[in-house]
């Protein structure tokens, strides 16, 4: 780990802290939705995918079937297939190490690894980020689950609206236009990032229309899966 500099440790620690805060909200919401504390903790350790966990628990809380919840979570995590190809060289050659690295793979660890200039730094960044995020997320879920179990009727706190609000918060950074460094400067990520953000907004809008139009007629969870058809809009 001698190849890790202070700036990287600082940035990764900040992301891990934020992950812990989101984990607190997931733990509280999962317990409020009827999930036992032990199952919320078990899910977080075994699945370790915040977005998929929010989607799966949200589908079940809305009355959807466990099969639809698992399928929605798997589809959301399908993006990890190209991620795995991109960071295959940082996971080592031993199968136990590769399996552990694949389990700990999240968007942030892939981004930090690919931003490094050489293989040694990519490996260090990946394992530092993955490890700290795993610890931060599961500590947050533990605190949130225990705190959430102390809440009586979750409806009195408006927690029924918390799942869609949490998912919107996770998606919002990808829907906003690129940040500008100054009024005269071009966007940080260039025109390509603007095009990606515009495509993401079109997909989100079409997906929302599909989900809203089919919700009155289909079982809970199925409209979310049908909303994935909106991805075809971005591929045109």
């Amino acid at each position: 780990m001698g190849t890790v500099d202070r700036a990287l440790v600082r940035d990764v620690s900040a992301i891990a802290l934020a992950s812990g805060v989101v984990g607190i909200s997931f733990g509280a919401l999962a317990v409020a939705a009827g999930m036992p504390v032990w199952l919320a903790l078990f899910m977080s350790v075994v699945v370790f995918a915040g977005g998929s966990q929010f989607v799966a628990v949200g589908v079940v809380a809305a009355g959807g079937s466990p099969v639809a919840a698992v399928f929605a979570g798997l589809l959301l995590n399908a993006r990890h297939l190209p991620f795995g190809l991109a960071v295959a060289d940082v996971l080592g050659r031993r199968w136990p190490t590769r399996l552990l690295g694949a389990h700990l793979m999240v968007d942030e660890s892939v981004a930090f690894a690919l931003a490094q200039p050489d293989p040694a730094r990519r490996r260090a960044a990946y394992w530092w980020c993955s490890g700290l995020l795993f610890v931060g997320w599961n500590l947050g879920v533990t605190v949130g689950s225990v705190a959430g179990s102390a809440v009586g009727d979750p409806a009195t706190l408006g927690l029924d609206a918390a799942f869609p609000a949490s998912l919107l918060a996770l998606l919002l950074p990808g829907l906003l236009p690129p940040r500008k460094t100054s009024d005269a400067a071009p966007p940080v990520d260039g025109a390509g990032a603007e095009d990606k953000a515009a495509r993401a907004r079109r997909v989100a809008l079409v997906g929302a229309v599909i989900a809203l139009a089919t919700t009155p007629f289909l079982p809970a969870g199925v409209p979310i899966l049908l909303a994935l058809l909106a991805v075809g809009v971005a591929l045109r």
Side-chain angles (χ1 to χ4, degrees):
M1 295 297 173
T3 55
V4 177
D5 54 38
R6 290 185 176 181
L8 178 62
V9 173
R10 178 199 60 202
D11 294 342
V12 169
S13 298
I15 295 294
L17 180 61
S19 175
V21 173
V22 178
I24 291 175
S25 65
F26 172 78
L29 294 173
V31 172
M35 179 177 285
V37 172
W38 70 266
L39 184 55
L41 301 181
F42 179 78
M43 181 183 190
S44 293
V45 171
V46 174
V47 178
F48 185 46
S52 295
Q53 290 179 230
F54 272 108
V55 168
V57 175
V59 169
V60 173
S65 69
V67 173
V70 171
F71 190 52
L74 288 175
L75 284 177
L76 190 59
N77 260 14
R79 68 188 188 283
H80 283 188
L81 292 174
F83 286 178
L85 296 175
V87 297
D89 61 320
V90 307
L91 300 183
R93 296 183 177 277
R94 298 173 53 193
W95 273 106
T97 306
R98 294 177 70 86
L99 290 174
L100 177 62
H103 178 62
L104 297 179
M105 181 186 298
V106 292
D107 301 26
E108 294 85 351
S109 60
V110 174
F112 272 108
L114 295 181
Q116 305 308 309
D118 57 72
R121 287 178 178 271
R122 282 199 292 271
R123 284 193 294 273
Y126 183 85
W127 288 105
W128 262 99
C129 187
S130 296
L132 286 179
L133 281 175
F134 184 82
V135 172
W137 172 256
N138 284 288
L139 283 177
V141 173
T142 301
V143 172
S145 299
V146 173
S149 63
V151 177
D153 183 7
T156 60
L157 301 179
L159 293 181
D160 54 330
F163 273 113
S166 300
L167 289 173
L168 179 61
L170 291 173
L171 291 173
L172 195 57
L175 302 178
L176 296 177
R179 177 174 56 88
K180 293 183 178 180
T181 54
S182 69
D183 293 340
V188 172
D189 297 323
E194 285 189 350
D195 183 61
K196 290 180 180 178
R199 287 189 176 190
R201 288 194 292 272
R202 288 201 299 271
V203 171
L205 178 61
V206 176
V209 171
I210 294 174
L212 289 174
T214 56
T215 293
F217 312 104
L218 297 175
V222 176
I224 295 178
L225 299 180
L226 286 179
L228 292 173
L229 296 174
V231 175
V233 174
L235 299 179
R236 295 178 59 187

